[in-house]
Amino acid sequence: MQISPVIRYYVQKPKRFRAGANILSSPGEFFAKSFGEGSVITLLAAPGRVNLIGEHIDYHGLPVLPMAIGRRITVAYRPRQDGRVRAVSDGHPGLREFDLTAGLQPDAPGDWVNYLKGAALAVSFGWTIRNGIDAAITSDLPEAAGLSSSSALLTGFALALLAANGIQPTFADLFRILPEAEHFVGTRGGGMDHAAILASKAGCALLVGFDPPATAPIPIPPAWKFLVAHSLRGAEKSGELRAAYNGCRQAGTRALEKLGIPSYAAALDCTEPPKLEHLGEAERRAFLHVTGEGTRVREAVKALYEGNATRFGALLTASHKSLRDQLGVSTPALDLIVETALGSGALGARLTGAGFGGCAVVLCLPDQVERVRQQLVADYYSKHPEFDEANHLFAVEPSAGALSLPLRPCR
Ligand code: GLA
């Protein structure tokens, strides 16, 4: 297993962040406004991610190919002498508080404090920690957009708690415990998001394997440009879509059990196609999606190594069709975005993340980007007055994960 470097400490000039909901001058100022002036605080960043391909297969143990993006959650924190946690977020009003005790209980479903409690729980799986933190969280990552803002929050908060207690975790430790903690908010996801958020490398996609756990950065040709296009419908996994998301996982698992195949990795290696007629409709579709997507990831990795953008794009589009037709997790808005992008010259496009709303990712060559962007505005966004280009239609670069980003002291 490739172990990413532990957190490195060095000073960098504080940067001004654009907040998710409000425009704040900086995380440090937000902290001072919330908890008082005069203390030394530390800034820690956890990026969002775009999944390039490999959707709804991580929880079945099949490799996926995400990349971290430049938009991120920033936690400005100060260690406390007791076990209390106090936190504010620029995206949600009000202070959240709890004690780091055994038997933490979740708050109301959908409340952002559950991600902080999940982080505290995750940390308690691996370490004994005594010091809580005061934390001000800012973000330029759209929420419920399929860009992993919630996992970035959970991961960033876990890293802040660990750092405040003088603990430097390895990637292997974190990859083991963070997905478990996500179950605190009710989803039965896989480990893709945490792997991408932690271990991505600038300029690379991250091939993430689960059995055995492993990550491998694969350089993305600089001419491959990725646009993220928000469908303007939220995909809030911790809310009402939780059951639909968990249902995809259950259908795929039941299919495997009924077929008597030990794992989806084994299913991909079957020489004879299994007979699916005894499966229920949802199980059959889930099985076809998972095995098809697993094969597409293998082919996409090959296309990426070969620098074959056309082939890579075609695989993205095929992935979208399978998510739409087999798994049923797309929406008319996402389908329209994908069709518009393809019709205006994009090499490939697909929904990214869990689906049910959220964003599409679009692959273009440099001279296609502007045309695709303009066509998306003309055909889709112009009909939506809530469209805000900076947060709904933007380019993303393959970026470094949290373990490669510095902790920054800030006064
Ligand atoms: C969410 C989960 C991931 C993964 C995707 C779908 O983002 O957190 O683990 O299952 O959905 O690919």
Side-chain angles (χ1 to χ4, degrees), residues 320-407:
H320 182 80
K321 288 187 178 142
S322 177
L323 290 160
R324 182 191 66 195
D325 301 338
Q326 304 291 10
L327 215 54
V329 299
S330 189
T331 63
L334 284 165
D335 295 342
L336 177 58
I337 287 173
V338 165
E339 279 157 31
T340 304
L342 295 173
S344 51
L347 295 181
R350 58 183 290 278
L351 72 83
T352 185
F356 312 106
C359 291
V361 58
V362 179
L363 170 63
C364 303
L365 293 179
D367 58 358
Q368 298 160 342
V369 174
E370 206 36 49
R371 186 150 42 100
V372 171
R373 183 191 283 276
Q374 282 174 16
Q375 204 62 46
L376 284 170
V377 172
D379 287 8
Y380 184 67
Y381 293 114
S382 63
K383 301 180 181 70
H384 295 274
E386 70 272 35
F387 174 57
D388 158 21
E389 186 147 0
N391 281 308
H392 296 144
L393 182 60
F394 50 89
V396 286
E397 299 279 340
S399 301
L403 292 179
S404 304
L405 293 169
L407 280 181

Side-chain angles (χ1 to χ4, degrees), residues 105-257:
Q105 291 302 314
D107 282 31
D111 195 297
W112 66 279
V113 76
N114 290 333
Y115 292 98
L116 311 187
K117 289 185 169 181
L121 188 73
V123 164
S124 76
F125 293 156
W127 300 272
T128 303
I129 57 164
R130 302 187 197 293
N131 303 105
I133 55 176
D134 291 333
I137 294 153
T138 52
S139 169
D140 64 355
L141 199 51
E143 288 187 1
L147 302 177
S148 270
S149 64
S150 52
S151 297
L153 173 58
L154 187 143
T155 302
F157 202 76
L159 291 175
L161 274 178
L162 288 166
N165 283 271
I167 297 164
Q168 296 192 352
T170 63
F171 171 73
D173 291 332
L174 295 164
F175 194 35
R176 188 167 41 80
I177 61 172
L178 290 177
E180 282 303 310
E182 199 89 29
H183 300 164
F184 196 73
V185 278
T187 45
R188 301 285 308 168
M192 164 173 73
D193 303 343
H194 312 91
I197 289 165
L198 290 163
S200 287
K201 300 287 172 222
C204 296
L206 191 72
L207 180 61
V208 183
F210 300 94
D211 188 18
T215 62
I218 306 178
I220 296 180
W224 293 21
K225 301 295 174 198
F226 293 97
L227 276 178
V228 162
H230 200 308
S231 68
L232 309 179
R233 305 285 181 275
E236 179 48 81
K237 255 198 299 118
S238 68
E240 58 190 33
L241 295 171
R242 188 165 71 185
Y245 175 87
N246 291 344
C248 292
R249 179 178 184 143
Q250 287 152 6
T253 305
R254 277 199 315 274
L256 212 54
E257 283 164 6

Side-chain angles (χ1 to χ4, degrees), residues 49 54-56 58-59 189-190 192-193 237 245 353-354:
R49 65 99 187 92
E55 217 66 89
H56 283 274
D58 62 342
Y59 49 71
M192 164 173 73
D193 303 343
K237 255 198 299 118
Y245 175 87

Side-chain angles (χ1 to χ4, degrees), residues 275-297:
K275 298 194 171 27
L276 306 183
E277 53 272 9
H278 298 303
L279 300 182
E281 186 57 11
E283 295 158 3
R284 192 181 66 83
R285 287 173 180 271
F287 183 85
L288 289 174
H289 170 74
V290 175
T291 49
E293 188 76 349
T295 305
R296 281 186 288 276
V297 171

Side-chain angles (χ1 to χ4, degrees), residues 50-65:
V50 153
N51 187 17
L52 298 179
I53 193 162
E55 217 66 89
H56 283 274
I57 63 171
D58 62 342
Y59 49 71
H60 290 308
L62 291 181
V64 294
L65 193 66

